[in-house]
Amino acid sequence: MAIKRILAALSIIFCAAISAGAFTLTDGRDCRSLGGQWNYIPDPMDTGIYKYHMTLLKPHARFFADRHFFQEVNSKIEYDFDAAPTLRVPGDWNSQAEKLYYYEGGMWYRRTLDFQRVPGKRWFLYFGAINYKCVVGLNNEILGEHKGGFTPFWFEVTDVLKDGGNSLVVYVNNARGESEVPTVNYDWWNYGGITRDVLLVSVPEVFIKDYRIRFDGSSIDVEVFPDGGSAPVTVEIPELKLRKTICHSEPRSGESVSFSFTPKKSPERWSPENPRLYDIIISCGDDKISDKVGFRTIRVEGDKILLNDKPVFLKGISVHDETISPNPGRCRNEEDVRALLETAKDLGCNFLRLAHYPHSEQMVRLAEQMGFLLWEEIPCYWNVDWTSEETYANAENQLMEMIGRDRNRAATIIWSVANETPRIPERLAFLRRLIEKARAEDPTRLVSAAIEKKWAEKNHAVVEDDLISLTDIISFNQYEGWYDGLPADCDSVKWTIPAGKPVFISEFGGGARYGLHGDTKFTEEYQALLYEKNIRMLMRLPGISGFSPWILKDFRSPKRPLIGIQDEFNRKGLVDEQGRRKQAFYVLKDFYSK
Ligand code: GCU
């Protein structure tokens, strides 16, 4: 049942769900974490929403009512959150309970919260991500819904919160769908649930909803988006001795206040070698936020990628958003992403492809502090429903939410709109719109998509795709030595690739089970030889500007059932799910160290 239909009839009382622009979460925000143990009730048949003939329940009977919480007893009520087990939030449900390992369907989450109103304040409920779609209810009022498993959203709850006890009930459904983004078929685990932070954010009546900073190598432009009224706006970058105040006439909501600075002392450029960040402080009336921002430029010139006007070679690795641990799951916190980043740093990387969907804000911010350039991607993966306007709107919304969240992060240099999509007219039209939207929203970064190569004839690989004319770099995935031929065949493959743009290999690699030795596929030795041969082959390509081999760590996938070898893990990692390093890890590390 489409969420839309649920909402359409759930006598929705929408609170002001901020949709335009982002809701910047920065230092200085008064955030109360609502993480912890939430009660949960699996609901594969949406019994908490529908009657037996699939007509909608009345508000008092739906699970959003959380009837037992209000101490009303009614024999027709057949659920009780207080008696239900709990899941840790943030966190996917699959990795927390054996019976939920494969679960795809409806799930109810409930937590209660005590609250005390403070005059002159406003409150927002902020969700870092919920996979895949959800409806959020507070005190049995529906705040709204969201679709897309990897980007943040929020609702104003100032007029819904009650002093004393409140009941927050979230309906989540991670069922895959033909017209969803991603569609029904993808090579990673369908981790469902409230997978990232839930925060109750308190702000003054007039507050800074968002800001945007841009640096073009000489001037620094800052756009501030006040919400709730007007007040003088001050922007300050103390280390650059920059400070300016603008008293804005009555701004209409969504209107911004623009500042342009030409610092006398040019800022140190952010780079992987020197991930230099500066404090920016923005105030508006009673509101004051601070953030840490980096100043760098990124552009393409011919077949070179220029970072701060110098050619850069992207020593990358691809990464899924999954913990390194005996029991992997979605990364939940900074500690989880730090484990991945420290492994990538030890590998000698200066670049990460955050595949195949937006990773957490913690991942992006910590990568920026540690010195990684980032490729960020929305999950238009393999074959989505290219002819559905609803599917396009969903993809575009996920793109806008990703850009809205991370556009102030110097580390992010590439927005990617797709991975390995079929060369058909409907797909080109769909992706052309997304690319135009990305460029309009953020003209300061590169736009890409991972395409596929094809064989012209044996040993002659061709990279050609109409997408190439629309993207800033030529990115493609190739699996010579794994899906195609043997590692030794790399020595004789001839490549035909369009000239004039940087060439970036967004995936290559092969599988190995840690500790399995020999010379056949899935042994560590085979994987190591495959890396040696691929690196040598790819470094011969004109315009080669880097690669992000597939992949840092073995990751769960239901498409990899080979018992004893895969055991529902894709084994192309350079480390296994426990972080144990395979021989190929050292092959790539050695190459990147040179
Ligand atoms: C594809 C795809 C990856 C997948 C990989 C593989 O290129 O982009 O998501 O995991 O190949 O087959 O292992």
Side-chain angles (χ1 to χ4, degrees), residues 187 356 381 419-420 477 479 483 507 550 555 560 570 572:
D187 192 19
H356 286 289
Y381 179 90
N419 179 72
E420 294 193 347
N477 301 344
Y479 279 92
Y483 295 120
E507 287 180 34
W550 192 260
F555 59 95
R560 308 293 172 170
N570 181 313
K572 297 188 181 70

Side-chain angles (χ1 to χ4, degrees), residues 454-462 494 496:
K454 60 185 186 183
W455 292 108
E457 67 264 343
K458 185 167 168 33
N459 270 357
H460 178 198
V462 174
K494 175 172 166 293
T496 299

Side-chain angles (χ1 to χ4, degrees), residues 375-526:
W375 161 311
E376 293 198 47
E377 183 166 307
I378 56 168
C380 289
Y381 179 90
W382 288 354
N383 207 8
V384 300
D385 186 350
W386 307 109
T387 58
S388 156
E389 193 53 35
E390 190 170 341
T391 303
Y392 175 79
N394 180 351
E396 184 182 284
N397 182 59
Q398 293 189 43
L399 177 68
M400 291 298 105
E401 290 181 341
M402 175 174 74
I403 294 175
R405 188 193 73 181
D406 296 338
R407 62 188 178 186
N408 294 333
R409 305 276 71 82
T412 302
I413 57 167
I414 294 170
W415 303 121
S416 170
V417 295
N419 179 72
E420 294 193 347
T421 54
R423 279 187 288 273
I424 54 176
E426 300 82 357
R427 159 267 206 178
L428 183 64
F430 189 105
L431 296 184
R432 182 196 305 276
R433 287 171 74 185
L434 281 179
I435 289 170
E436 287 166 359
K437 190 71 180 172
R439 292 195 188 289
E441 188 65 20
D442 177 13
T444 70
R445 289 179 171 86
L446 310 182
V447 177
S448 184
I451 61 177
E452 293 178 291
K453 63 103 187 50
K454 60 185 186 183
W455 292 108
E457 67 264 343
K458 185 167 168 33
N459 270 357
H460 178 198
V462 174
V463 176
E464 66 182 18
D465 189 315
D466 294 334
L467 267 189
I468 290 173
S469 65
L470 305 176
T471 56
D472 293 300
I473 58 178
I474 300 171
S475 304
F476 62 93
N477 301 344
Q478 66 83 27
Y479 279 92
E480 189 58 31
W482 189 259
Y483 295 120
D484 297 317
L486 296 172
D489 296 330
C490 291
D491 299 340
S492 54
V493 171
K494 175 172 166 293
W495 287 90
T496 299
I497 302 173
K501 285 188 177 181
V503 171
F504 180 77
I505 321 302
S506 28
E507 287 180 34
F508 74 82
R513 180 174 183 82
Y514 173 82
L516 187 63
H517 297 288
D519 59 5
T520 59
K521 273 190 175 175
F522 286 114
T523 60
E524 288 195 46
E525 288 76 8
Y526 186 98

Side-chain angles (χ1 to χ4, degrees), residues 235-308:
V235 171
E236 193 178 1
I237 305 176
E239 285 190 84
L240 298 177
K241 298 185 175 28
L242 300 176
R243 178 189 170 91
K244 191 184 286 183
T245 297
I246 295 179
C247 295
H248 193 60
S249 58
E250 188 61 28
R252 286 180 298 285
S253 72
E255 208 171 65
S256 63
V257 184
S258 299
F259 297 74
S260 187
F261 300 100
T262 307
K264 291 187 185 57
K265 185 179 90 170
S266 186
E268 268 183 71
R269 298 295 190 272
W270 183 95
S271 72
E273 298 72 28
N274 177 28
R276 177 74 160 86
L277 296 173
Y278 287 80
D279 288 329
I280 182 169
I281 300 155
I282 306 174
S283 58
C284 174
D286 298 335
D287 196 21
K288 185 173 188 177
I289 59 170
S290 62
D291 202 355
K292 297 192 179 309
V293 292
F295 299 104
R296 57 106 186 98
T297 59
I298 190 77
R299 62 191 171 89
V300 162
E301 195 171 83
D303 66 358
K304 294 279 180 294
I305 300 175
L306 302 184
L307 172 67
N308 301 321

